[in-house]
Amino acid sequence: MHFRLNGQTADVDAEPTEPLLDVVRRAGCTGPKEGCWIGVCGACTVIVDGLPVSACLYLAGMAEDADVWTVEGLTADDPALVDAFADAAALQCGFCTPGQVTTAWWVAHRPDVDGGPGGARSPGGAGGPGGDPDVAALMAGNLCRCTGYQAIRAAVETYRAGH
Amino acid sequence: MSTVVHPSDVRVDAVRKIVGAEEYAGDVSLEGMVHACIVRSSERHARIEAVDTSAALTIDGVLRVVTAGDLDCALYGRIVRDIPVLAVDKVRYLGEPVAAVVATTRRLAELGAAAVVVEYGPLPAVVTADAALEPDAPLVHEAPWEYARAVVSPDDPPNLQSRAARGTRQEAEAALAGAAHVVDETYVTPAGHQGYLEPQCCVARWNAEAGSLELWIPNKTPYRLVEQLAACLGRPAASIELHPVAIGGDFGGKGSPMAGPLCAELSRLVGRPVRLALRYAEDLAATNPRHPTSIRVRMGCDTGGRLVGLVVDAQVDGGAYAGYKPMPEVSLRGIGHAASSYRVDAAYVESRIAYTNTVPKGHARAPGSPQITFAVESALDELALRSGLSPWEIRRRNVLRTGETGHEGVRYAEHRAAEVLERAERSIRPATAPAGTRHGLGIALYDRPTGLGYTSLRLTARADGDLDVGVAVPDTGTGSHTVVREVLAGALALDPACLHVRHLPTGALPGDQGVGGSRVTATLSSAALLAAERWQARGGEDSIVVELRGEAEEPITSYCAQVAQVAVDPTTGELTLLDLLTVVDVGTVVHPASHQSQVDGGATMGIGFALYEDLELDDGQVWASNLGEFKLPSVRDLPSLQTEVLEGGKGVGPANVKSIGELVNPPVAAAIANAVFAATGVRLRRVPLRAEDLWEALYPATAAAPGRPAVPAAAAAGPAPGGSSEQP
């Protein structure tokens, strides 16, 4: 298959029906992790065409020609993202961290469009009508068993405030 | 990677974890590596009549199907060696490994495993501790006393894994008989997975020529695992090396050999490196979850509310094997610490752990403590009600004071229970319950001793003038490697950035006891201070190794009080946790950010235990088979978490530290259950605390209720708090 991975062209051998997670990991990006394997825990989160997806459920064939970013690419030129998590000590075992960081990037960069996917005012959206998107709602798809989330939340707020 | 210079207190592992560069076992890829998948039992208890591997072997890419007969190893276990690497002759629980398929890819290994056909001859099963301990119960093991290091004898009841008792039953019963008020209730807790997000995984490489074995496995007790593997595989310990890999969450679940022995055998049999990674569904169904318990508490006080007698009988489901329990007596020590915060004239605490045809149970954060604390701290509130005292007052009257010796017979250096309670009461910020709901506030108290252990450490001067710090103990995520750096930097008056902490392979250092018992900060900080002392006094050497085998000068314990505020919707029973205040008793906090994370993470895990987590182990089967059904708290499920740190306590060792890792999760469930009672008058004695149970108790079958047909208008008011609507 052919897609862009962290800004570079990637041509890899992949079955269209295999999870995108396996494909990006085989391509050397082992930051995204296999946790629950059913799209609940968020450890495998990657960005596909600007939106966070659970790469364990996202089929490789759906990412044909897509623009895919993993934690490696998102943090490479973004010291503010790294520092936000490091300074807040927003991690412990680190297994969920690549997914948390990836979603945090999206929280700060996502298009805030009425009714758009993930938009603050979309149906059932994060902030309610006209509300400020709530970090807790936006990050609820990324489980962490270690930290109790307080530090992660602080890191995401800090990073978002810088954008 | 970030080029920004971080302040010195940033965790040593922060940046590599944030950018996705940290290496976990599942990220290890070796030349020629192949993949394995386990064929698991579909029966709870059955003879293995036949294993047909022919279909699996026709799959292109399947290299080998392995059954028990192919293995050359013994039973394994942390104390009792009763676990077969693959089931021999019969299976004892649903999900037990029966065979393994090795293939060139994981997908092919999984296809191969699905193609293996096992014929079973079903046997009668026992699936609860109560049933297993009946005199005529079917036997899970025919002669469990014959296993190496067993703690039972032929005279014990059938299916007993272990029995632990403290005190004299007769004296405690007599004290209860003379009590003015007595509570006699039974509290029930479910099986629960530790919830680490990294499934169990192992990469093994057997080198036949060298006779050596290397493993990459997320295990928190590497030196002990080497000993266990040596015993199981019949190899010299010196021929086995564990390489350091990050551990993707532990909470007690990464202390057992788990995928290690099988993966090692598979590598030997196929002559190639093998990765054996579990899917999360396998991990939930068939690793080593927290023990379900049924705990009967009888507690009595005199007319002044002074505790005079306590009898605890805990019935514990140990599952099909005892080998995942690491304590020499094979007990859950938390249960033995029942009511350890209080003065009781006569106490008797007994727990019996049973073999059952269910997934074998292991350690989970503060083993036994969440269960016993839910029971005892709930019972204490029930006793307060009977005595006409407030929950605060009955605790104040009975907590141990410095200088006193509790019913466990240990004289701790200090007891700060009264101060912790006082701080809790003073720190409450009243939460607002939404209109139409009832507000309730509950308190619970817990204490946990801190000990020292054994570890070793190496300091080496680098050419650039910095210091390499080699440690033997893995950092399970708690920040222990950062603690080493902070303590050494302070003692050597060095910039922390000049200290490079690395976890070394086994064999590089003399040894280590492993992570457990909330003792790592105490042990590592003591070892680091010893190393700093030796380093400053050294002659010309550019490398030193120190070993610390520590005993605390005097017993140390620390307290945690929690106050939960809830809102209960009286029409639905829906329970919302509004606020959770945690007060912890500390000595010196070495790394505040990591300490706070342990508090927040502990509180969150306690909330999961209290409100959500249940493997739904029923009739021998784990029904919560994925993380959608076994629900861990997400950020959106949390109330505001308040923390109060009571500084100035007397801790262990020269760094003056107390435990934190397992201090915070145990009391949460009782605090919430007590708050629910305050809100509704309903006493829930089973966790998770569920809206359904609350609703059933609010509206017994005979009463009209919202949601039932023909509801009279009066029912909307519900029963009065403190009424007779106790859960059956």
Side-chain angles (χ1 to χ4, degrees), chain B residues 243-371:
Chain B
H243 293 280
V245 283
I247 297 176
D250 158 37
F251 318 109
K254 299 274 176 71
S256 297
M258 220 38 80
L262 177 58
C263 195
E265 276 294 88
L266 296 177
S267 177
R268 179 180 66 82
L269 288 166
V270 299
R272 293 170 72 167
V274 174
R275 183 195 289 163
L276 173 58
L278 269 54
R279 298 287 186 197
Y280 212 96
E282 294 178 270
D283 213 300
L284 284 169
T287 53
N288 59 350
R290 172 182 279 133
H291 291 70
T293 62
S294 170
I295 302 175
R296 183 180 177 198
V297 179
R298 289 181 294 152
M299 184 188 273
C301 65
D302 64 16
T303 51
R306 209 174 51 82
L307 293 175
V308 294
L310 171 72
V311 176
V312 171
D313 285 288
Q315 207 88 302
V316 182
D317 173 1
Y321 298 102
Y324 292 141
K325 282 182 275 291
M327 291 301 163
E329 73 283 4
V330 195
S331 73
L332 297 177
R333 290 210 172 150
I335 291 176
H337 291 307
S340 56
S341 306
Y342 305 104
R343 213 180 297 114
V344 185
D345 291 347
Y348 179 76
V349 180
E350 177 173 339
S351 61
R352 297 197 300 170
I353 307 183
Y355 279 115
T356 64
N357 292 115
T358 67
V359 54
K361 311 306 185 302
H363 267 188
R365 198 172 195 167
S369 293
Q371 298 98 316

Side-chain angles (χ1 to χ4, degrees), chain B residues 174-192:
Chain B
L176 278 180
H181 307 283
V182 175
V183 162
D184 179 355
E185 297 293 353
T186 298
Y187 304 84
V188 176
T189 71

